[in-house]
Amino acid sequence: MGPDEPGVGSMESLYPFLYAGTTDLPAVLEEVRRSTIAKAEEIIELRRVISERDGARLTSCAADAAARFAAGGRLLAFGNGGSATDAQQLATLFLNPGGDARPLPALGLAADTSVVTALCNDIGVDVVFARQIAAFGRRNDIAVGLSTSGNSDNLLRAFDEASRRGLLTIGFAGYQGGKMAEMDSIDYLFVAPSSSVHRIQEAQTTVYHILWELTLAELGRAEAVVR
């Protein structure tokens, strides 16, 4: 690499057309088009694979989740970084779905910055979710942990704590599931088999929206039978 050549990861190497002095706009737009189509095809295929592999398990998971909600349970969602955002969106989906959809009790365990920072500072990041599950978790609750790698130690500890307390445990992971795939304390694990963090999170979003819809449907069926 010459002294005037951009380094790997530099702005120039990532966006060379911005620094070329002149821009071939049609070529840039064509590259954007090709990239967008490729990414769309990739996530469509990933969703198809998950649907074929995990469709029946999603239905069973929703039935178990509905039974927990019917018994007064709550959903406790957790994750790190971008997965913390997804966990909060999942909790919000159940708690405040909008429209005429039925709200269900849910908490995002990464949302309370005072609790999270206190646990991280005073004890350690590895217990940030397990300690909250120990404090809040009840036997009829549902623990849902999201990770792209499947290797986050604080999720692994949280699942062990949740399982020990009798919670229903649901995991979302990417790649091949990581360490989460080796755990006996996760009742249902849904893996998005991709090495792209973006595609993994897109697929996980689809799966937990389906889980939410199936759970509501199962609750409706169960209540119709009781009537």
Side-chain angles (χ1 to χ4, degrees):
M1 182 176 69
D4 296 326
E5 294 181 24
V8 175
S10 67
M11 291 294 291
E12 290 88 344
S13 67
L14 292 172
Y15 306 103
F17 58 88
L18 295 178
Y19 297 87
T22 60
T23 299
D24 186 347
L25 183 58
V28 171
L29 293 176
E30 176 59 22
E31 178 59 29
V32 170
R33 187 190 69 84
R34 286 198 300 265
S35 176
T36 301
I37 291 173
K39 291 173 182 176
E41 290 175 345
E42 185 180 356
I43 186 57
I44 289 170
E45 174 62 15
L46 185 56
R47 287 165 174 156
R48 184 194 64 78
V49 169
I50 296 171
S51 175
E52 291 183 355
R53 184 188 61 193
D54 292 333
R57 292 177 59 251
L58 267 169
T59 301
S60 297
C61 182
D64 286 347
R68 298 295 181 114
F69 281 121
R74 304 159 301 169
L75 184 144
L76 310 178
F78 47 94
N80 299 291
S83 295
T85 302
D86 288 336
Q88 186 58 47
Q89 201 279 331
L90 169 60
T92 302
L93 176 65
F94 276 82
L95 183 62
N96 185 28
D100 296 328
R102 174 179 178 173
L104 295 168
L107 300 171
L109 299 188
D112 191 328
T113 55
S114 297
V115 170
V116 169
T117 54
L119 288 169
C120 289
N121 184 63
D122 297 344
I123 305 173
V125 69
D126 287 351
V127 304
V128 69
F129 302 129
R131 280 292 186 100
Q132 292 187 75
I133 288 173
F136 303 138
R138 303 185 302 227
R139 188 167 187 83
N140 285 322
D141 288 343
I142 305 157
V144 183
L146 297 95
S147 171
T148 52
S149 70
N151 293 322
S152 302
D153 287 339
N154 54 14
L155 263 72
L156 306 182
R157 293 184 66 157
F159 280 123
D160 285 340
E161 183 67 27
S163 179
R164 186 175 71 82
R165 292 177 176 274
L167 279 71
L168 175 67
T169 53
I170 304 170
F172 292 86
Y175 295 87
Q176 299 304 314
K179 293 179 182 178
M180 287 170 62
E182 304 170 4
M183 300 183 70
D184 295 328
S185 55
I186 300 179
D187 298 315
Y188 293 96
L189 177 63
F190 301 103
V191 177
S194 172
S195 59
S196 167
V197 170
H198 304 91
R199 304 294 86 77
I200 291 167
Q201 291 182 316
E202 289 167 358
Q204 289 178 344
T205 299
T206 300
V207 173
Y208 68 65
H209 272 82
I210 293 171
L211 179 61
W212 167 71
E213 291 183 13
L214 291 174
T215 300
L216 287 184
E218 187 63 33
L219 278 169
R221 280 193 292 269
E223 289 170 354
V225 170
V226 172
R227 295 192 195 102

